[in-house]
Amino acid sequence: MNDLNAIVESAQVAFAQAVTPADLENAKALFLGKSGRITELMKGMAALSVDEKKSRGAAINLAKQAIEAALTARRQALADAELQAQLRAEALDVTLPGRQRGQGGLHPVSLTMERIEAIFGSMGFDVAQGPEIESDWFNFTALNTPEDHPARSMHDTFYVEGGSETAPNLLRTHTSPMQIRYAVQHVKKYSSKANGGEGHGLFSGDMPEIRVIAPGRTYRVDSDATHSPMFHQCEGLWVGENVSFKDLKFVFTDFCRTFFESDDLVLRFRPSFFPFTEPSAEIDIQFQSGPLAGRWLEVAGSGQVHPNVIRNMGLDPEKYIGFAFGMGPDRLTMLRYGVNDLRLFFDGDVRFLSQFQ
Ligand code: PHE
């Protein structure tokens, strides 16, 4: 019997060492296969007597049953282990944080633009958009800017291929061309009504006042911490029969105080020069309190619209008069939020931009 016990034990060991179903089937063959050890023992019984066969056969059968039981148990254990492994592999970790879609928001300069539009909108100003590729006529000539003005030089302006009297040939250096574009459309609308569509020459009839702002991108050959080749401007124009510098002062003061949410703010109109306004003034503001208190900060150019420009709008300068201003929304954004490098606005760094949401 000892030999049988030893065989059963070695089968149990071999089954225990099998780590895959294939290992286990190989191990099974060693004992129960065609030339396995149990099968060999059975074959060896042929030479025994009938009685010996009985007892030996019963003993071998017991051993065989023990091996089969061990095999079944190991099969089950391996199947269980495989199932556990699969469950572990396909497990869903419901404690993982969900994936979030990035939350978008408006650029700080866009926030300023919206603010400017809302404030001037509340004062009855229309909002107009114009082309960024502009013609020489609208950008310079119609704005009374002489041929030899430095702004027209290659060093200051981005010129594009081609260009003729009417074709666009440069990136606008300011939003002032919109003064002409908007006014011409406005005057056309009312002069054609007045003159039955025959309106040529300068219009001196009645029309609603022109009151418009024109925000947008502008371009100059300029690049440092406070200048970018692309920057923003917002033009303002108010033309009527009786619009004066006093109105400019009132409107712009009101705008600044609303924009910065502070009455603690004074304005200074500093004499200056622009070809398209006469007289002209730079507008400086000064906060009376807060981190910027006491410094004069330039925020806009302005002036009374030059009679030649009024003419180029199609209006009679004997009847119509007004003012214009051009301010820098980038600068206003820097002042409002305390940003000291203009380039941050255009680098596209989300760590910077997300602070404005
Ligand atoms: N266009 C001028 C500039 O870019 C600003 C300006 C606009 C001045 C309107 C007067 C009137 O500097």
Side-chain angles (χ1 to χ4, degrees), residues 147-262:
E147 286 290 334
D148 57 358
H149 193 280
R152 300 180 82 133
S153 92
M154 290 293 211
H155 303 290
D156 283 336
T157 299
F158 292 108
Y159 288 90
V160 299
E161 293 287 311
S164 64
E165 278 297 297
T166 50
N169 64 330
L170 52 87
L171 299 183
R172 65 180 179 186
T173 58
H174 50 181
T175 44
S176 301
M178 282 306 292
Q179 290 184 32
I180 308 290
R181 285 186 179 273
Y182 185 88
V184 164
Q185 289 305 318
H186 183 94
V187 172
K188 244 189 211 152
K189 199 151 91 192
Y190 295 100
S191 65
S192 63
K193 270 184 202 154
N195 305 344
E198 298 290 308
H200 295 303
L202 300 177
F203 182 65
S204 56
D206 293 333
M207 64 168 197
E209 289 185 337
I210 295 170
R211 220 181 291 173
V212 66
I213 59 165
R217 293 192 191 92
T218 48
Y219 303 85
R220 283 181 208 175
V221 185
D222 228 348
S223 187
D224 59 42
T226 53
H227 295 90
S228 153
M230 189 287 296
F231 58 104
H232 297 88
Q233 277 200 344
C234 182
E235 197 75 8
L237 178 69
W238 185 352
V239 173
E241 291 177 37
N242 199 10
V243 182
S244 75
F245 231 91
K246 164 186 99 209
D247 299 303
L248 167 61
K249 278 184 123 167
F250 173 77
V251 162
F252 213 84
T253 303
D254 201 30
F255 163 73
C256 288
R257 291 184 174 160
T258 311
F259 182 86
F260 289 106
E261 296 167 281
S262 163

Side-chain angles (χ1 to χ4, degrees), residues 26-82:
N26 289 336
K28 172 196 165 189
L30 291 179
F31 298 93
L32 305 175
K34 264 191 200 133
S35 49
R37 296 179 60 185
I38 293 293
T39 321
E40 292 299 327
L41 288 178
M42 299 278 214
K43 285 179 194 163
M45 287 204 308
L48 299 181
S49 68
V50 175
D51 277 355
E52 279 173 328
K53 269 185 190 155
K54 244 189 196 163
S55 60
R56 182 66 176 166
I60 294 176
N61 252 335
L62 279 178
K64 192 180 173 192
Q65 282 165 15
I67 292 173
E68 279 170 347
L71 179 67
T72 308
R74 185 62 184 154
R75 269 197 189 128
Q76 191 58 50
L78 287 183
D80 285 350
E82 191 181 306

Side-chain angles (χ1 to χ4, degrees), residues 7 10 85 121 130 208 234 250 284-285 317 324 328:
I7 292 174
S10 66
C234 182
F250 173 77
D284 302 333
I285 61 172

Side-chain angles (χ1 to χ4, degrees), residues 21 23 25 40 52 66 79 107 117 124-125 133 136 147 173 200 208 231 237 247 258 305 325 330-331 335:
D23 288 347
E25 292 317 305
E40 292 299 327
E52 279 173 328
H107 190 280
E117 288 172 22
F125 280 72
I133 307 179
D136 196 81
E147 286 290 334
T173 58
H200 295 303
F231 58 104
L237 178 69
D247 299 303
T258 311
V305 181
F325 57 82
D330 304 325
R331 191 80 205 286
L335 293 175

Side-chain angles (χ1 to χ4, degrees), residues 324-338:
F325 57 82
M327 61 179 153
D330 304 325
R331 191 80 205 286
L332 293 179
T333 312
M334 290 172 80
L335 293 175
R336 178 150 189 254
Y337 295 110

